[in-house]
Amino acid sequence: MSLLAPYRPSSTRFALVGGAAALRPDWQARVAPQRGQLPQQRPNGLMVQPTLNRLRGFTEEITELGYQPSSVVLARDRVRSRPASTLSDALPDAPFLRLERVRKADSMAMSHETAWYDLTAAPCLAATDGSMSIYALLRAAGKPLVRCEQTIEAVLPTPQHMDVFGFPCPVPCLLIRRRSYAANGRLIEYVEGIFRGDAYVLHVGLQAAQTATAGLQTLRERFHLTPAEMRVAQEIVKGEGRMAAAKRIGIGEATLKSHLIHIFEKTGVTRQAELVRLIHEGP
């Protein structure tokens, strides 16, 4: 069961990921009159403002922002159970490293996260105690994470998170869920983390989508696609399906599928829709 509890303003209940549970009466009575009375001052003046423009771990992110990162490992387990809906592509009996950590910047708790790492895909993590950067360990082992899918929600903290962050009353926080992949498209990491909202602001940079022509050129140069693979990518981006693409190129569907598999392996995508998005939005 997840540790994170999204807030539902229309109800006096906190919905847990995978279920629902009512607030304890004593905590509900203590919190109710304090809602809306949020701290006006940032804790110790610290404000972390990362930019979501590239994939990096907490340690690298905090270091780049000029703070001293550290971690308190609350739990480290080798398990075979995991969130089935998020790590369903792993083997049924695959071992996982589960880490529960409080991540800090200049000794102040910034996030409380639980992460699962597929040890079949990344055996290099089996011996880590969780105090070091997982992303750095993966890079050192030649298995860097190259892309991720991330969601961000506004939540109120549970009593457990209030204790971790030292909140006297509930303060809006950020619930971030991330799925991170290696270059071969294998899902290596799934993490759920709640970040304190009074000292954590996310910046997102947006740019206009590039044209398909420019995207294809970028794809060829970055991933060293062959002429045959480029021809397949040019047809797939039109969105008319494999049969039509194969017919226009003058090859069989099996040959086209073989080219697609090679393109997926080079780019790290796993579906045609992801390939089309990569062409339009860039890596």
Side-chain angles (χ1 to χ4, degrees):
M1 179 177 291
S2 171
L3 296 171
L4 310 175
Y7 176 58
R8 300 291 184 263
S10 62
S11 173
T12 59
R13 302 169 75 89
F14 276 71
L16 296 175
V17 177
L23 294 173
R24 295 201 317 267
D26 60 327
W27 193 73
Q28 183 177 355
R30 176 164 57 89
V31 169
Q34 298 178 352
R35 284 180 179 156
Q37 301 176 14
L38 303 181
Q40 298 301 309
Q41 300 297 322
R42 305 296 181 185
N44 302 322
L46 190 153
M47 173 60 71
V48 176
Q49 303 186 52
T51 300
L52 299 182
N53 59 359
R54 62 188 177 87
L55 176 59
R56 59 195 185 280
F58 180 89
T59 299
E60 291 88 346
E61 182 175 84
I62 295 301
T63 300
E64 290 177 6
L65 292 170
Y67 301 104
Q68 179 63 44
S70 61
S71 298
V72 177
V73 180
L74 303 180
R76 178 192 177 282
D77 307 293
R78 185 185 175 99
V79 299
R80 294 188 182 275
S81 60
R82 76 276 192 185
S85 62
T86 57
L87 296 171
S88 57
D89 62 339
L91 296 175
D93 60 346
F96 285 83
L97 172 66
R98 186 184 71 86
L99 286 177
E100 181 186 350
R101 298 183 288 182
V102 173
R103 315 303 298 275
K104 296 184 177 183
D106 286 357
S107 300
M108 187 177 78
M110 297 299 298
S111 72
H112 180 194
E113 68 175 38
T114 301
W116 288 260
Y117 299 93
D118 187 342
L119 293 178
T120 301
C124 57
L125 301 180
T128 182
D129 62 4
S131 62
M132 297 180 60
S133 167
I134 297 295
Y135 283 34
L137 291 174
L138 289 169
R139 285 196 299 270
K143 296 180 179 294
L145 299 176
V146 299
R147 69 180 183 90
C148 79
E149 298 169 354
Q150 184 165 283
T151 63
I152 303 172
E153 299 177 39
V155 301
L156 281 183
T158 64
Q160 179 184 10
H161 292 122
M162 290 178 65
D163 290 339
V164 168
F165 298 134
F167 291 159
C169 61
V171 175
C173 294
L174 300 174
L175 165 57
I176 298 179
R177 296 187 179 95
R178 175 185 285 186
R179 299 167 180 80
S180 303
Y181 300 82
N184 63 0
R186 181 71 175 268
L187 178 62
I188 302 293
E189 171 196 61
Y190 172 69
V191 58
E192 293 182 350
I194 188 166
F195 291 72
R196 58 187 308 151
D198 61 342
Y200 209 96
V201 176
L202 297 177
H203 291 264
V204 182
L206 303 176
Q207 62 183 15
Q210 59 188 345
T211 65
T213 300
L216 286 163
Q217 180 67 17
T218 300
L219 202 72
R220 183 185 68 81
E221 294 174 354
R222 175 159 183 159
F223 299 106
H224 309 292
L225 300 188
T226 66
E229 291 165 353
M230 274 296 295
R231 181 59 176 154
V232 168
Q234 289 170 346
E235 293 300 329
I236 290 297
V237 77
K238 296 177 181 178
E240 298 177 10
R242 294 185 186 182
M243 183 180 297
K247 185 176 181 179
R248 280 194 297 267
I249 298 173
I251 60 177
E253 286 190 62
T255 302
L256 183 137
K257 182 178 180 181
S258 177
H259 287 315
L260 268 179
I261 290 173
H262 292 152
I263 294 172
F264 289 175
E265 291 174 348
K266 289 182 177 181
T267 60
V269 304
T270 58
R271 296 187 295 272
Q272 287 180 211
E274 292 177 4
L275 177 61
V276 172
R277 184 166 62 247
L278 180 64
I279 292 170
H280 283 293
E281 299 178 3

